[in-house]
Amino acid sequence: MSYSFTLNNGVCFPAVGFGTYRTQEGGPQVIETAVRCGYRYFDTASYYGNEEMVGRALSQSGLPRDEFFLASKVWKTEMSFRQTREAFYASLNRLGTDYLDLYLIHWPRPDLTSDWKQLDLDTWKVLEELYAAGKVRAIGVSNFLPHHLENILEHCQVKPAVNQVELHPGYCQTAVRDLCRQQNILVQAWSPMGRARLLDDPVICRLAAQYGVSPAQICLRFLLQLGVMPLPKASSEERMRQNLDLFSFSLASSDLKALLSIPCTGWSHLDPDAV
């Protein structure tokens, strides 16, 4: 892809990534098709249980490793100074690579009783060491709300480059976006179409007809114009290609406002401060 985001450490990522959550249900051909369609950024996690499949599919693509951008995450039960390092190298082994392009803390707290602030800092310290050692090109967090992120920012040596959160029309995460913009942290959006619930939304369908694109393309273009990197997933080649075709049109400011005004729709109800 010729469109990209530049992180606060100078690393460039493609403007659109491919989310791999539950892609193992479709088998490695899902990843193979995504590569053929032009995706080069793949987002996975130890929790997804598909790192081995993703790594094998990319390896068998015939393209060199440095053409791909691989991101993974450390899960709640793997956090701590000791366990995070082990989890990272286990992910490397499953993915069949000797480095990652991005490594994230998947959630800010594993439960409601532990000292999550210190646990996050201990885990972040490991990410900083892996970054300094050149084992990962950028480090960041996932599902961190402002109060979680501020804890890291107050104590870190290396500022997070990314915060990956649920974000889509109907769930715009204004406070998260504002803080990340102030701190030059790239926001990535998982569930960028609100678990497909937005594809029948009347505002989105009206705009799709107006611009001659799909409802999914409206959702993804909306995120790009907010400065957010979307991580769509799809199983069909047609939809994969549609989700990359986002640069031939631009939403008018009035249409952006209309999308920002959609009431809460498609939220997963996954709360970073809940069990």
Side-chain angles (χ1 to χ4, degrees), residues 169 196-210 214-215 218-219 255 258-259 261-263 265:
R197 295 170 192 166
L198 289 166
L199 303 184
D200 296 323
D201 182 88
V203 173
I204 291 173
C205 289
R206 173 180 62 80
L207 291 176
Q210 175 183 327
S214 70
I218 293 293
C219 292
D255 295 328
L259 291 167
S261 300
I262 291 176
T265 307

Side-chain angles (χ1 to χ4, degrees), residues 76-87:
K76 297 177 181 180
T77 57
E78 300 168 329
M79 295 171 69
S80 77
F81 191 82
R82 178 183 61 83
Q83 294 184 98
T84 299
R85 183 177 299 276
E86 296 173 1

Side-chain angles (χ1 to χ4, degrees), residues 226-239:
L226 291 183
V228 173
M229 177 183 174
L231 299 171
K233 63 177 184 174
S235 55
S236 75
E237 183 169 347
E238 179 184 6
R239 290 187 178 180

Side-chain angles (χ1 to χ4, degrees), residues 36-234:
R36 187 168 64 249
C37 288
Y39 290 90
R40 293 297 180 266
Y41 184 106
F42 291 86
D43 176 80
T44 184
S46 61
Y47 176 73
Y48 297 172
N50 62 10
E51 289 175 312
E52 188 173 356
M53 183 197 77
V54 170
R56 187 183 307 113
L58 297 184
S59 176
Q60 293 176 352
S61 71
L63 296 173
R65 167 67 179 88
D66 61 8
E67 284 204 20
F68 293 112
F69 298 81
L70 271 174
S72 193
K73 311 176 193 74
V74 57
W75 184 239
K76 297 177 181 180
T77 57
E78 300 168 329
M79 295 171 69
S80 77
F81 191 82
R82 178 183 61 83
Q83 294 184 98
T84 299
R85 183 177 299 276
E86 296 173 1
F88 175 81
Y89 282 101
S91 285
L92 284 190
N93 184 59
R94 289 189 292 265
L95 286 162
T97 183
D98 58 0
Y99 73 96
L100 286 180
D101 297 282
L102 179 66
Y103 197 50
L104 308 175
I105 301 177
H106 205 149
W107 288 89
R109 57 192 303 178
D111 54 53
L112 295 180
T113 59
S114 63
D115 182 358
W116 64 267
K117 288 189 174 183
Q118 188 59 50
L119 185 61
D120 284 0
L121 295 177
D122 291 345
T123 304
W124 187 252
K125 179 66 175 176
V126 178
L127 269 62
E128 290 182 327
E129 292 181 356
L130 293 168
Y131 176 71
K135 301 305 293 183
V136 59
R137 297 176 66 209
I139 54 177
V141 295
S142 177
N143 300 298
F144 274 52
L145 300 178
H147 59 287
H148 306 128
L149 191 51
E150 286 164 354
N151 176 52
I152 297 290
L153 292 171
E154 288 171 7
H155 299 91
C156 66
Q157 299 298 314
V158 179
K159 183 187 293 187
V162 167
N163 185 13
Q164 183 183 127
V165 296
E166 179 179 3
L167 206 160
H168 48 75
Y171 195 67
C172 293
Q173 296 266 38
T174 302
V176 171
R177 288 189 294 108
D178 286 348
L179 177 58
C180 288
R181 182 169 55 251
Q182 293 165 12
Q183 295 292 332
N184 194 22
I185 296 171
L186 175 66
V187 177
Q188 294 180 328
W190 62 264
S191 191
M193 289 163 268
R195 300 192 171 193
R197 295 170 192 166
L198 289 166
L199 303 184
D200 296 323
D201 182 88
V203 173
I204 291 173
C205 289
R206 173 180 62 80
L207 291 176
Q210 175 183 327
Y211 286 91
V213 296
S214 70
Q217 287 171 294
I218 293 293
C219 292
L220 298 175
R221 180 68 202 188
F222 164 76
L223 293 170
L224 287 174
Q225 289 186 224
L226 291 183
V228 173
M229 177 183 174
L231 299 171
K233 63 177 184 174

